Amino acid sequence: MLNAHQILKELNFERLAGSANEAKAVKIIAKYLGQLKVKHQLEPFQLHAFDTGTAVIACGGKPFKAHPFGLTKSQTITGELVYLEDLEVLANDRGSYKDKIILTYSYGRKLVEAIKRSGAKALIDIGSPQREAPSWSYRQKNYEEGYIPSATVSYEAGTKLAGLSGKKATLKIKQTVSRRTARNIIVDIKGTGKDRTLTLAVGHYDSVARSPGSCDNGGGVVALLKAVEHFARHRPARDLRVIFFSGEEMGLRGSFSYVEKHKKEIEERAGLVVNIDVGGDDLGLNHFEVLGTAQLQGYVCGITREIGHYFRSAVDIYSSDCMPFSVYEVPSVNISREGGQSSFNIHTPGDTVEYT
């Protein structure tokens, strides 16, 4: 039997989409699929990608270490540093922050356009207490349409920089961006022929910059490998396709590419997507979100509790690789485990195998 934790140890490294480390992860996953004697195929797709870069903020005569947002190219920006406690002020006061370098503790992707409209020169996002600075990335559309150069700093650095608001600052970013190829890994397990419905079990194997991604989503990868192990020996009633997606952390690029290529089959055959994203915490609680109906939620609650497992559940949107399928009204069950130290450190270097 596959040793899930041993596989997780082997995957305990940064796995950016389109990188050499992505290719390394593909080899590891393929090795275990080979041990299970199941065939797989690689399905390539194109995306804008980057090599993990560095950034430094100089202000008040002191340097502060920072981390550039993914897809932010090498550049140097100088301007007045302004601390904004709540970035939503940009939606109502658009002209006051033109040519400023904004420092904030309230960044969110929904505010990307407001930041852009403000005319700010750069954005610096402060991370959460007791954690290293997080890794964020701009989406493909943001990159293509133009973005504000951005970086993150730790909470400790952020508190010091906030005290320097109003002073001149320089943000220097070094990071390479280019067009690259990433790959989805696809495994088909033939059902016994109950009907033509196709069930998909999916999860992403890429990580964010600087993070081993043990919880997000190495845990999902090993869960899918264990599912392959089971169904390779015990054929399901319906055809099962297991997909290890890349590019999820870059805006669901792998799953969007897959859906575009397989649109007809999805419309004709796809019945359910089971997506595993975030798993492996040593302590924590199990969750599932249904992007579908209350009837599906009740069904999954019933069958899991019948066999002795408990999941906190909700009917809700889950922003992961299920989303491209929802456009074609394919329901999904999105499984996660959260609450321990690994998931606490998601999107930082602290998301490591020692906490799983």
Side-chain angles (χ1 to χ4, degrees):
M1 293 181 66
L2 296 184
N3 183 320
H5 204 254
Q6 175 58 38
I7 301 170
L8 203 54
K9 288 180 180 179
E10 292 183 41
L11 290 169
N12 194 47
F13 54 87
E14 177 194 82
R15 303 180 299 278
L16 287 177
S19 68
N21 273 1
E22 183 204 70
K24 180 180 174 183
V26 169
K27 288 182 179 180
I28 292 170
I29 295 168
K31 176 182 71 174
Y32 285 103
L33 292 173
Q35 289 182 14
L36 296 174
K37 294 182 172 54
V38 296
K39 295 180 180 180
H40 71 278
Q41 60 177 322
L42 301 181
E43 192 168 271
F45 62 93
Q46 297 288 308
L47 79 167
H48 301 293
F50 65 97
D51 293 321
T52 301
T54 60
V56 175
I57 302 161
C59 189
K62 299 177 181 179
F64 297 87
K65 183 180 179 182
H67 302 293
F69 275 36
L71 299 183
T72 301
K73 290 184 175 181
S74 297
Q75 55 197 288
T76 300
I77 305 102
T78 299
E80 180 188 347
L81 181 71
V82 176
Y83 174 62
L84 276 184
E85 190 163 69
D86 193 338
L87 265 187
E88 291 194 9
V89 71
L90 295 179
N92 303 304
D93 189 1
R94 299 181 182 181
S96 298
Y97 304 99
K98 182 175 170 51
D99 296 328
K100 311 294 185 183
I101 296 177
I102 297 176
L103 174 71
T104 187
Y105 188 46
S106 59
Y107 169 76
R109 291 197 180 98
K110 292 181 179 179
L111 294 168
V112 167
E113 289 304 315
I115 298 166
K116 185 177 174 181
R117 287 194 300 268
S118 74
K121 280 188 172 181
L123 174 77
I124 301 168
D125 176 48
I126 302 170
S128 300
Q130 310 302 317
R131 302 197 310 168
E132 297 185 62
S135 291
W136 301 123
S137 180
Y138 278 119
R139 298 307 190 224
Q140 305 288 300
K141 184 179 179 181
N142 301 138
Y143 176 76
E144 291 168 354
E145 296 181 351
Y147 59 89
I148 299 295
S150 302
T152 65
V153 294
S154 67
Y155 183 85
E156 291 71 25
T159 58
K160 294 174 183 178
L161 282 166
L164 297 172
S165 183
K167 294 186 177 295
K168 181 180 178 181
T170 298
L171 170 62
K172 187 173 184 178
I173 294 171
K174 291 184 178 180
Q175 188 160 257
T176 301
V177 180
S178 61
R179 190 77 173 168
R180 300 181 188 174
T181 300
R183 293 166 179 82
N184 296 327
I185 308 169
I186 301 173
V187 176
D188 277 305
I189 299 175
K190 192 71 176 172
T192 58
K194 182 178 179 66
D195 56 43
R196 293 188 68 251
T197 303
L198 176 66
T199 304
L200 299 108
V202 308
H204 72 93
Y205 70 94
D206 64 310
S207 77
V208 298
R210 302 182 303 111
S211 178
S214 187
C215 179
D216 184 16
N217 186 35
V221 171
V222 296
L224 288 174
L225 283 169
K226 293 296 287 185
V228 171
E229 180 180 45
H230 174 81
F231 287 110
R233 297 173 179 174
H234 309 280
R235 287 177 64 190
R238 297 175 174 87
D239 292 349
L240 173 65
R241 182 166 297 159
V242 179
I243 309 175
F244 304 85
F245 286 123
S246 185
E248 193 266 1
E249 299 291 6
M250 298 289 287
L252 316 181
R253 298 325 304 162
S255 49
F256 270 115
S257 173
Y258 174 84
V259 168
E260 289 169 7
K261 291 179 181 178
H262 299 267
K263 176 183 174 182
K264 183 177 180 181
E265 182 182 42
I266 290 167
E267 290 178 324
E268 293 179 353
R269 296 187 62 207
L272 177 69
V273 173
V274 178
N275 177 51
I276 308 177
D277 185 18
V278 181
D281 260 338
D282 46 8
L283 300 177
L285 295 173
N286 297 323
H287 299 254
F288 72 79
E289 276 72 44
V290 167
L291 208 172
T293 64
Q295 287 88 345
L296 178 57
Q297 178 192 18
Y299 174 72
V300 179
C301 280
I303 61 173
T304 50
R305 293 176 186 182
E306 185 178 7
I307 59 174
H309 295 292
Y310 185 84
F311 289 77
R312 294 190 174 188
S313 71
V315 175
D316 203 353
I317 290 173
Y318 192 84
S319 183
S320 185
D321 286 314
C322 58
M323 295 298 289
F325 295 91
S326 67
V327 175
Y328 301 100
E329 299 186 357
V330 181
S332 60
V333 177
N334 298 276
I335 301 172
S336 63
R337 177 174 174 81
E338 304 163 29
Q341 194 158 354
S342 193
S343 63
F344 172 74
N345 285 298
I346 277 178
H347 284 214
T348 77
D351 181 7
T352 180
V353 71
E354 67 180 295
Y355 302 127
T356 57

